[in-house]
């Protein structure tokens, strides 16, 4: 009797076009087909639709796995697909590029065109020109995704340098999100092809250790041109990411409530920050005689700020102020967050101000709480 659930059993099968079948449940089958003695063979599932007609779906060869693991993987894939179809999932063909385009549409609807434009740029730069874009989701395999990931890792950044682990994680995020959405929308039955291959590298970002105290931050600003100094001063007053601050428009600041509304930040969460009087005065100056759609902070020539425009001037200002060469605008954000944590501000509030998660604050700044805790315990200690 032909068996497909063991390596020895499959090795004894004669090559033929028709698969050898194993019943999974009523009307549902897993099949294995080898058309030549030297091939790894391929797996397929078969079921009956509502009309009673037989339907087939190729599952792949699973040749990236050891032979002993292929039957279990094929069985899981068959069950995933059958569950997908029975739950109303689509059996139409969609490619990886289709998934990317649908994800862009979702981002545009939920977060606005600016956020969608950034995602669209990344897909055009890293996905659409690669072979993976034309692979149908139903045939997408871990090897396809691994090949794309390897190519991305080996491709220099726009600045011509090799991707760091942190940069690789960031550039993989959009594709992973697009494929996860495709699974949620039932364009594909399982995330088996990408769940491990697009997993972020752990500890890629590390802990930012360069800290500038208030005197050093002021010295850095004093050695900048006026336009960059205003931008850096705002970063020293509110711990936003540089890109988020650069994208803020006049309409995002409510002078009546002294509230800054931040929406298109990396974390994607809309939030409002009530500013103290001194900081509010700076933002009121930045809004003077500007239309609501105008940027709050721009270069002296009216052009928007971006990392390519502030990187060199910040480096020059750090050198002039005799500060460490690794000083960046992000150093200001890190320093402000550090001061807030050391001052005893609760981590939830710090995370909300910074536009990140409490987990991230705990991971990167939680060690600073030890001094705060010691001080608090000292205040309640009995002598």
């Amino acid at each position: 009797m032909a068996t497909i659930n063991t390596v020895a059993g499959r090795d004894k099968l004669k090559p033929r076009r028709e698969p050898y079948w194993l019943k999974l449940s009523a009307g549902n089958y897993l099949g294995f087909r080898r058309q030549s003695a030297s091939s790894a063979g391929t797996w397929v599932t078969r079921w009956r639709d509502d009309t009673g007609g037989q339907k087939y779906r190729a599952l792949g060869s699973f040749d990236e796995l050891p032979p002993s693991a292929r039957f279990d993987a094929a069985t899981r894939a068959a069950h995933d697909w059958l569950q997908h179809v029975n739950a109303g999932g689509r059996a139409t063909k969609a490619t990886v590029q289709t998934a990317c385009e649908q994800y862009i549409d979702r981002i545009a609807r939920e977060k606005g065109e600016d956020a969608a434009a950034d995602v669209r740029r990344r897909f055009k730069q890293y996905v659409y020109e690669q072979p993976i874009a034309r692979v149908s989701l139903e045939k997408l395999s871990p090897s396809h995704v691994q090949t794309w990931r390897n190519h991305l890792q080996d491709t220099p950044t726009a600045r011509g340098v090799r991707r760091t682990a942190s940069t690789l994680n960031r550039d993989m995020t959009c594709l992973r999100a697009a494929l996860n959405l495709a699974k949620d929308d039932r364009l594909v039955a399982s995330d088996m092809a990408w769940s491990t291959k697009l997993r972020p590298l752990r500890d890629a970002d590390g802990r930012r250790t360069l800290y500038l105290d208030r005197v050093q931050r002021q010295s850095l600003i004093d050695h900048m041109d006026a336009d960059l100094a205003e931008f850096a001063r705002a970063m020293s007053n509110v711990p936003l990411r540089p890109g988020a601050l650069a994208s803020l428009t006049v309409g995002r600041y409510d002078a009546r409530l002294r509230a800054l509304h931040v929406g298109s930040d990396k974390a994607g969460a809309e939030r409002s920050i009530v500013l103290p009087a001194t900081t509010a005065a700076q933002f009121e100056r930045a809004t003077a005689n500007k239309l609501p759609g105008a940027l709050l902070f721009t270069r002296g020539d009216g052009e928007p700020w971006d990392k390519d425009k502030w990187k060199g001037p910040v480096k020059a200002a750090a050198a002039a102020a005799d500060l460490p060469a690794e000083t960046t605008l992000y150093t200001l954000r890190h320093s402000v967050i550090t001061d807030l944590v050391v001052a005893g501000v609760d981590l939830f509030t710090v995370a909300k101000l910074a536009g990140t998660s409490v987990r991230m604050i705990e991971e990167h700044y939680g060690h600073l709480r030890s001094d705060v805790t010691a001080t608090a315990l000292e205040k309640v200690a009995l002598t």
Side-chain angles (χ1 to χ4, degrees), residues 1 39 42 72 85 102 111-112 137 214 224 271 322 383:
M1 180 179 178
S39 70
T42 58
D72 289 341
V85 172
Q102 293 193 6
K111 298 184 179 180
L137 292 175
R214 294 184 65 185
M224 293 176 171
R271 66 193 190 280
D322 197 25
T383 58

Side-chain angles (χ1 to χ4, degrees), residues 62 94 102 136 149 163 179 184 188 198 238 296 330 343 351 377:
F62 301 97
Q102 293 193 6
S136 65
R149 176 175 175 151
R163 272 180 170 73
L179 293 174
D184 291 344
V188 62
L198 294 182
V238 185
L296 272 169
Y330 243 100
L377 289 173

Side-chain angles (χ1 to χ4, degrees), residues 103-117 120:
Y103 179 68
I104 292 171
D105 182 66
R106 173 71 66 87
I107 292 297
R109 292 175 183 275
E110 294 184 353
K111 298 184 179 180
E113 186 53 41
D114 287 346
R120 187 180 295 109

Side-chain angles (χ1 to χ4, degrees), residues 294-312:
L295 293 173
L296 272 169
F297 299 99
T298 59
R299 288 166 27 114
D301 58 6
E303 290 297 309
W305 282 111
D306 62 44
K307 64 178 183 293
D308 293 325
K309 294 184 175 68
W310 68 58
K311 182 179 178 181

Side-chain angles (χ1 to χ4, degrees), residues 44-366:
V44 63
T45 188
R46 187 183 83 199
W47 74 99
R48 291 189 180 277
D49 62 15
D50 294 338
T51 67
Q54 287 192 343
K55 300 292 183 180
Y56 299 83
R57 176 180 173 82
L59 301 174
S61 64
F62 301 97
D63 57 0
E64 72 277 3
L65 300 175
S68 59
R70 293 173 190 170
F71 172 77
D72 289 341
T75 302
R76 287 193 298 270
H79 280 306
D80 285 343
W81 177 254
L82 294 170
Q83 183 179 23
H84 168 73
V85 172
N86 291 332
R90 291 179 246 179
T92 55
K93 293 184 182 296
T95 64
V96 171
Q97 183 162 341
T98 304
C100 292
E101 290 168 349
Q102 293 193 6
Y103 179 68
I104 292 171
D105 182 66
R106 173 71 66 87
I107 292 297
R109 292 175 183 275
E110 294 184 353
K111 298 184 179 180
E113 186 53 41
D114 287 346
D118 178 67
V119 175
R120 187 180 295 109
R121 175 186 61 79
R122 291 179 184 274
F123 285 151
K124 286 183 177 179
Q125 192 170 358
Y126 304 134
V127 179
Y128 291 168
E129 298 301 320
Q130 299 305 312
I132 195 173
R134 296 178 290 281
V135 176
S136 65
L137 292 175
E138 65 178 23
K139 294 183 178 180
L140 187 65
S141 69
S143 61
H144 288 127
V145 181
Q146 184 65 59
T147 298
W148 175 83
R149 176 175 175 151
N150 291 346
H151 180 270
L152 179 64
Q153 187 171 15
D154 295 339
T155 301
T157 66
R159 293 183 287 117
V161 299
R162 181 177 174 82
R163 272 180 170 73
T164 63
S166 176
T167 303
L168 178 64
N169 283 349
R170 185 167 57 251
D171 290 338
M172 290 192 301
T173 297
C174 290
L175 181 58
R176 184 172 64 250
L179 293 174
N180 285 339
L181 177 63
K183 181 176 180 293
D184 291 344
D185 287 346
R186 301 191 182 280
L187 292 176
V188 62
S190 168
D191 62 358
M192 181 190 67
W194 69 86
S195 60
T196 59
K197 298 303 181 182
L198 294 182
R199 184 179 295 161
L201 295 172
R202 298 186 62 182
D203 302 322
D205 296 319
R207 180 184 291 167
R208 296 183 184 274
T209 56
L210 179 59
Y211 168 80
L212 301 181
D213 61 29
R214 294 184 65 185
V215 173
Q216 290 173 312
R217 299 198 294 265
Q218 185 61 58
S219 179
L220 177 67
I221 292 171
D222 289 343
H223 286 85
M224 293 176 171
D225 290 339
D227 53 355
L228 183 57
E230 277 299 292
F231 188 69
R233 184 173 291 107
M235 281 211 62
S236 296
N237 290 332
V238 185
L240 300 182
R241 296 176 179 84
L245 182 63
S247 68
L248 287 178
T249 59
V250 171
R252 285 285 178 174
Y253 178 67
D254 186 334
R256 183 176 60 87
L257 299 177
R258 294 196 321 205
L260 183 65
H261 304 289
V262 184
S264 58
D265 203 353
K266 181 179 179 181
E270 180 84 23
R271 66 193 190 280
S272 296
I273 303 173
V274 178
L275 304 179
T278 303
T279 303
Q282 182 196 6
F283 278 81
E284 287 170 15
R285 291 195 303 271
T287 64
N289 302 316
K290 291 182 180 178
L291 295 173
L295 293 173
L296 272 169
F297 299 99
T298 59
R299 288 166 27 114
D301 58 6
E303 290 297 309
W305 282 111
D306 62 44
K307 64 178 183 293
D308 293 325
K309 294 184 175 68
W310 68 58
K311 182 179 178 181
V314 170
K315 187 177 182 65
D322 197 25
L323 295 173
E326 61 268 30
T327 299
T328 66
L329 282 184
Y330 243 100
T331 304
L332 298 178
R333 168 180 159 85
H334 165 70
S335 301
V336 174
I337 294 175
T338 299
D339 285 350
L340 291 170
V341 173
V342 172
V345 179
D346 68 274
L347 299 188
F348 176 81
T349 299
V350 175
K352 183 176 180 181
L353 289 171
T356 189
S357 66
V358 174
R359 183 195 63 78
M360 195 286 293
I361 296 295
E362 288 177 336
E363 180 179 347
H364 294 279
Y365 299 90

